[in-house]
Amino acid sequence: MRRAIYPGSFDPVTNGHLDIIERGCKLFDEIIIAILVNPDKQPFFSIEERRGMLQEVLQDIAHGQCILRVDDFEGLLVHYAVAQQAHAIVRGIRAISDYEYELQMALMNRRLEPNIETVFMMPAETYSYVSSRLVKEVFLLGGELDGLVPPLIEARMKEKVTAS
Ligand code: PNS
C-alpha cells in the first residue's frame, strides 16, 4: 500500500491540482490531499469550505483504484506525514521558478524525516501558469476562469463575493 500526501493551501483547488492528483494516482494506492491550516494567512475560503469543495470535485476525476482522502493539518508537514504512515509527499512543479523553493522544502523535509521521499510531478502544459493566487486575482478583477478551475469552484467563488 503506497500512500502519499499531497499538501497545499488549495485556496481554491485548481485544474492544475486536479491534474497532479490524477497523475499521482498512477503512482500511489492512496493520496491524502492535506490542506494546511495556516493561522497567519487570511484565506479566501475557510478550511471547511476547501475540504467540502475538494471532496466534491474529486468525484469527477479519473482516479482508478487509487483512494483519495481529504484532510487538513497543522504544524510540520513531515510530522503529519509520519502520523499518516505516508511514504511520500507529492508536489507539483510548473516552472523552473517553482523549483528553487520546492527543492529547499524537499531537502528540509528530508533532513527532518529521511524516510519520506518528495516526488515532484509536472502538470499538463495547459496548467503550467495556473496558480490559486492568480486564479483569485483574475476572478476578483472580473476575468473568466474557464478551464482554470472546475465550474463548481468558480460558482462558489461567485457565491462567496455575493454573500460578503
Ligand atoms: O500550496 P502551498 O501554499 O504552496 O503549500 C505549501 C505547503 C503547505 C506544502 C508548505 O507551506 C508546508 O508544508 N507547510 C507546513 C509547515 C512545514 O512543514 N514547514 C516546513 C517546510 S520545509
Side-chain angles (χ1 to χ4, degrees):
M1 177 78 173
R2 308 303 295 174
R3 180 179 293 132
I5 308 288
Y6 182 38
S9 304
F10 303 104
D11 188 32
V13 60
T14 68
N15 285 343
H17 291 127
L18 296 176
D19 182 80
I20 293 289
I21 295 168
E22 278 192 6
R23 289 172 198 281
C25 277
K26 295 178 189 155
L27 302 180
F28 297 100
D29 302 308
E30 178 172 4
I31 301 179
I32 304 175
I33 296 101
I35 309 166
L36 173 68
V37 179
N38 186 350
D40 299 333
K41 266 197 187 172
Q42 187 59 46
F44 189 86
F45 287 111
S46 69
I47 292 287
E48 292 69 32
E49 289 169 327
R50 279 177 271 166
R51 277 185 82 130
M53 287 186 295
L54 268 163
Q55 257 142 8
E56 284 188 64
V57 296
L58 287 177
Q59 285 168 17
D60 295 331
I61 72 165
H63 58 97
Q65 299 300 305
C66 172
I67 300 164
L68 295 177
R69 280 207 284 135
V70 180
D71 196 9
D72 54 67
F73 74 103
E74 285 177 75
L76 277 182
L77 172 59
V78 287
H79 288 171
Y80 172 77
V82 169
Q84 295 297 322
Q85 297 181 312
H87 305 92
I89 292 166
V90 169
R91 289 290 287 171
I93 297 225
R94 291 160 296 194
I96 292 289
S97 49
D98 284 339
Y99 180 72
E100 255 183 79
Y101 171 63
E102 294 295 335
L103 178 68
Q104 273 187 341
M105 279 209 299
L107 294 179
M108 181 61 81
N109 283 335
R110 181 187 281 166
R111 180 195 165 98
L112 295 167
E113 185 46 67
N115 290 324
I116 296 183
E117 289 297 330
T118 295
V119 176
F120 291 151
M121 301 196 70
M122 287 155 291
E125 283 160 50
T126 339
Y127 306 124
S128 61
Y129 57 92
V130 180
S131 68
S132 300
R133 185 180 61 80
L134 278 186
V135 160
K136 282 181 284 198
E137 187 171 321
V138 168
F139 172 77
L140 291 171
L141 296 173
E144 289 297 318
L145 298 184
D146 284 12
L148 305 179
V149 295
L152 176 128
I153 302 297
E154 187 170 4
R156 294 289 163 81
M157 291 178 87
K158 286 183 179 153
E159 285 169 25
K160 187 91 181 164
V161 290
T162 314
S164 62

